[in-house]
């Protein structure tokens, strides 16, 4: 029978999850849209994996996914209706597993506590880490975070019971296959296990991880691609030759609050405060190592998805590090009068509610509305009105459920575009790739690729966001006819399309082309 505290914690998760889904569907005319465009890249890739092809465009190999494993998990769902909801379904499952894992962590580190106190603790984890918001990004980060939480649980068991769970090595190997950043956890933990007399286990974990990651890279190279996915190359390349310094400076200059979000202070204090035994200090060191590694080389975002895994990992380990102090707090609460206990629980409930409100849950709905008003409408125009190859710089929705060629000028789905964008200036490479692939229309952010737009292309107008910008990179998408002779016909279809747009979007035609 499920413990009452866990049941209540899962009930909180279900209410938040179901309520968010309902509000998103109502706000988007019945469409349950993710808060980012990126999950549709994974869906497009998994759609083609079902056909035996690795890439977004049929007949062209590419590695646009930052995760090795995630697109393969989506494949079975693409054979059934409603396959686009596969990421949301899987994220709901992994969110449940996160709550169950923290229930196990809390029981081991705090002992028996009341069902209400357990439910409040689990609700605090859900709120503080933005679990529901991260789930609605539709990305692999919830799975990555569950694996991190399970690693923390495995380490707590190892410290408290002097035994290593048999599943821990599997979890450590799977982490980097979900996202490369999980090496921040796998490598230090494998080294820790070797110091604990489990040298063979640690070596096996590192060797298996290296073989799997290296094997995937060799497979990519054998197919004429770079050894790393294009999304990873693009992110690393953004820092130039001083990537690590660039990331750290970016953190200090633009995201100072992330220092606290990465939970640097708790593990640091765990190393310094008296009353913490040596083995718990080692756990604090492992938590600090992962947080520092992600701070230096990881990425950040308003959705908190990038740092989600290390937040849960650090939190899980710190429950053990501070277990003696938490036990004393528990015992103090038990000594309160019944009325005092009710007051304490009420204050805790208000604190959890405030914590949830601080994370701005409305941004989840706002993000989903952004994607519906911009990328989904672009998808509609291509598949319902244009029926021709297009060029974009935001790949996801336009490529999903669309077998027509999509030229990704940013390069995630087109290795040649990524290489030429990085090595060439001017517009010749854009024009040549568009002609090669029969592109008739380009839908791009001018701020991203405006300098690369050939002078021969005809600007028709812009798709504009009529609601606050939350997750889209720009509020306007410019539409260009690649061949001037086709501009009048495309404009006619845009007129029809513009009449069907939701109130959250509007198409503004270029006045200079009004007579086309």
């Amino acid at each position: 029978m499920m413990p009452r505290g866990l049941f209540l914690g899962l009930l909180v998760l279900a209410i938040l999850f179901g309520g968010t889904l309902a509000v998103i569907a109502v706000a988007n005319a019945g469409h349950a849209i993710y808060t980012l465009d990126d999950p549709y890249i994974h869906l497009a890739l998994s759609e083609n994996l079902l056909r035996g092809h690795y890439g977004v465009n049929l007949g062209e190999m590419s590695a646009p996914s930052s995760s090795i494993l995630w697109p393969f998990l989506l494949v079975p769902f693409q054979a059934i209706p409603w396959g686009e909801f596969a990421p949301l379904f899987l994220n709901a499952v992994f969110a449940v597993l996160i709550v169950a894992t923290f229930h196990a962590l809390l029981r081991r580190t705090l002992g028996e506590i009341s069902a209400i106190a357990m439910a409040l603790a689990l609700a605090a984890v859900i709120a503080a880490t933005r679990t529901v918001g991260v789930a609605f990004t539709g990305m692999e980060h919830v799975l990555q975070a569950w694996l991190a939480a399970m690693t923390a649980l495995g380490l707590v068991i190892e410290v408290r019971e002097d035994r290593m769970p048999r599943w821990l090595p599997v979890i450590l190997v799977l982490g980097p296959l979900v996202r490369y950043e999980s090496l921040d956890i796998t490598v230090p933990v494998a080294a820790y296990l070797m110091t604990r007399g489990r040298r063979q286990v640690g070596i096996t974990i590192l060797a298996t991880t290296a073989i799997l990651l290296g094997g995937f890279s060799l497979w990519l190279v054998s197919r004429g691609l770079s050894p790393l996915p294009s999304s990873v190359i693009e992110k690393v390349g953004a820092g130039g030759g001083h990537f690590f310094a660039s990331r750290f400076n970016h953190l200090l200059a633009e995201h100072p609050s992330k220092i606290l979000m990465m939970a640097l202070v708790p593990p640091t204090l765990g190393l310094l405060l008296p009353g913490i035994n040596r083995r718990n200090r080692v756990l604090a060191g492992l938590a600090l190592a992962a947080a520092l590694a992600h701070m230096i080389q990881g990425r950040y975002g308003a959705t908190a998805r990038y740092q989600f895994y290390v937040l849960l990992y650090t939190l899980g380990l710190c429950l053990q590090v501070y277990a003696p102090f938490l036990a004393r707090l528990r015992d103090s609460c038990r000594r309160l009068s019944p009325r005092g206990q009710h007051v304490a629980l009420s204050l805790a409930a208000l604190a959890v509610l405030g914590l949830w409100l601080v994370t701005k849950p409305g941004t989840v709905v706002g993000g989903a509305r952004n994607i519906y008003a911009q990328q989904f409408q672009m998808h509609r125009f291509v598949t319902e009105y244009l029926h021709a190859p297009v060029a974009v710089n935001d790949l996801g929705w336009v490529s999903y459920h669309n077998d027509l060629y999509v030229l990704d000028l940013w390069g995630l789905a087109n290795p040649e575009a990524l290489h030429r964008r990085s090595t060439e200036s001017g517009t010749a490479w854009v024009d040549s790739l568009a002609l090669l692939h029969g592109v008739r229309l380009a839908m791009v952010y001018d701020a991203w690729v405006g300098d690369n737009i050939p002078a021969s292309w005809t600007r028709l107008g812009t798709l504009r966001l009529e609601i606050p910008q939350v997750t889209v990179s720009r509020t306007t998408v410019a539409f260009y006819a690649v061949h001037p002779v086709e501009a009048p016909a495309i404009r006619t279809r845009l007129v029809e399309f513009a009449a069907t747009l939701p109130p959250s979007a509007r198409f503004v035609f270029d006045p200079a082309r009004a007579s086309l």
Side-chain angles (χ1 to χ4, degrees):
M1 184 176 179
M2 182 183 296
R4 186 163 174 258
L6 175 58
F7 172 78
L8 293 174
L10 291 176
L11 181 62
V12 171
L13 177 67
I15 291 172
L16 294 176
F17 206 97
T20 301
L21 180 60
V23 174
I24 287 175
V26 170
N28 293 329
H31 293 272
I33 304 290
Y34 299 109
T35 59
L36 298 173
D37 188 52
D38 293 4
Y40 299 100
I41 300 176
H42 295 145
L43 285 166
L45 178 58
S46 65
E47 187 177 39
N48 285 338
L49 280 171
L50 187 63
R51 303 167 174 177
H53 173 68
Y54 195 83
V56 169
N57 290 304
L58 290 172
E60 182 179 73
M61 288 285 296
S62 62
S65 173
S66 54
S67 172
I68 298 173
L69 188 60
W70 186 247
F72 289 95
L73 294 180
L74 303 178
V75 170
F77 298 92
Q78 302 313 304
I80 60 176
W82 310 102
E84 68 190 71
F85 298 108
L88 190 61
F89 169 74
L90 290 175
N91 280 349
V93 171
F94 294 127
V96 168
L97 292 175
I98 285 173
V99 173
T101 300
F102 267 87
H103 177 264
L105 278 163
L106 287 163
R107 289 195 65 176
R108 278 180 166 82
T109 55
L110 288 183
E112 290 298 325
I113 58 176
S114 71
I116 298 298
M118 175 64 77
L120 286 173
L122 295 176
V125 172
I126 295 169
T129 60
R130 301 186 185 182
T131 300
V132 174
V134 176
F136 275 89
T137 65
M139 299 292 282
E140 69 274 13
H141 299 87
V142 184
L143 170 56
Q144 179 194 24
W146 172 62
L147 295 174
M150 285 293 290
T151 301
L153 176 60
L155 290 171
V156 169
I157 292 173
E158 199 274 341
V159 165
R160 297 182 72 90
E161 302 176 21
D162 200 25
R163 67 179 180 88
M164 184 194 71
R166 292 182 178 180
W167 43 260
L168 182 57
V170 177
I171 294 292
L172 290 166
V173 170
L174 285 176
L177 296 178
V178 175
R179 282 192 69 87
Y180 286 86
E181 296 99 318
S182 290
L183 287 168
D184 298 342
I185 292 175
T186 296
V187 174
V189 172
Y192 164 76
L193 292 175
M194 285 189 273
T195 67
R196 291 282 297 153
R198 298 181 174 88
R199 185 170 179 271
Q200 190 62 44
V201 173
I203 292 174
T204 301
I205 291 169
L206 294 176
T208 304
T209 302
I211 289 170
L212 292 174
L213 294 182
F216 181 70
S217 293
L218 289 174
W219 181 76
L220 291 179
V221 171
S222 72
R223 296 300 187 273
L225 301 175
S226 297
L228 292 173
S230 53
S231 59
V232 176
I233 293 173
E234 190 275 327
K235 287 174 179 127
V236 172
H242 306 283
F243 176 71
F244 296 107
S246 171
R247 295 305 306 152
F248 193 68
N249 290 336
H250 178 64
L251 171 70
L252 295 180
E254 300 184 29
H255 298 277
S257 63
K258 296 298 187 294
I259 295 176
L260 293 178
M261 290 184 65
M262 296 308 300
L264 281 176
V265 173
T268 300
L269 291 177
L271 291 172
L272 302 175
L273 289 177
I276 296 176
N277 64 39
R278 183 184 63 82
R279 296 190 66 182
N280 283 347
R281 289 189 195 280
V282 172
L283 293 189
L286 289 173
L288 184 60
L292 283 172
H294 187 84
M295 279 181 60
I296 294 171
Q297 57 80 35
R299 292 180 66 85
Y300 312 92
T303 60
R305 61 188 175 113
Y306 292 114
Q307 57 267 37
F308 186 40
Y309 78 105
V310 80
L311 287 174
L312 287 178
Y313 177 66
T314 300
L315 178 58
L317 290 182
C318 283
L319 285 175
Q320 173 61 31
V321 172
Y322 292 101
F325 302 100
L326 294 173
R328 286 199 286 271
L329 177 63
R330 176 202 61 199
D331 294 340
S332 297
C333 290
R334 285 176 176 172
R335 288 193 290 270
L336 294 173
S337 65
R339 182 176 181 179
Q341 291 182 17
H342 291 156
V343 171
L345 288 173
S346 298
L347 291 174
L350 288 174
V352 171
L353 178 61
L355 190 61
W356 180 64
L357 292 175
V358 165
T359 63
K360 300 179 180 179
T363 59
V364 178
V365 177
R369 292 188 72 199
N370 276 193
I371 301 304
Y372 175 70
Q374 193 174 96
Q375 282 86 357
F376 180 66
Q377 302 309 320
M378 293 161 61
H379 166 84
R380 283 186 55 241
F381 181 69
V382 174
T383 59
E384 297 177 17
Y385 294 88
L386 186 65
H387 307 292
V390 296
V392 297
N393 60 224
D394 221 0
L395 178 66
W397 243 126
V398 176
S399 59
Y400 184 49
H401 287 334
N402 174 24
D403 288 341
L404 296 165
Y405 192 87
V406 179
L407 172 59
D408 177 19
L409 295 177
W410 202 245
L412 298 185
N414 298 87
E416 185 178 1
L418 178 61
H419 172 71
R420 297 184 68 174
R421 178 173 68 85
S422 304
T423 58
E424 298 181 26
S425 58
T427 63
W429 69 271
V430 176
D431 212 12
S432 64
L433 287 178
L435 292 174
L436 175 65
H437 296 293
V439 171
R440 294 178 57 191
L441 176 74
M443 301 180 291
V444 298
Y445 295 136
D446 276 337
W448 282 18
V449 296
D451 292 340
N452 296 119
I453 297 298
S456 61
W457 290 12
T458 302
R459 194 173 194 271
L460 300 172
T462 56
L463 177 65
R464 299 188 179 181
L465 206 64
E466 295 291 290
I467 53 178
Q469 179 184 4
V470 180
T471 56
V472 294
S473 297
R474 295 292 185 273
T475 58
T476 60
V477 181
F479 282 52
Y480 292 88
V482 172
H483 307 291
V485 69
E486 294 185 344
I490 295 176
R491 188 183 190 281
T492 298
R493 293 171 188 173
L494 279 170
V495 170
E496 299 172 4
F497 166 69
T500 68
L501 287 172
S504 53
R506 177 169 61 104
F507 195 89
V508 179
F509 290 93
D510 191 327
R513 305 295 172 186
S515 61
L516 289 175

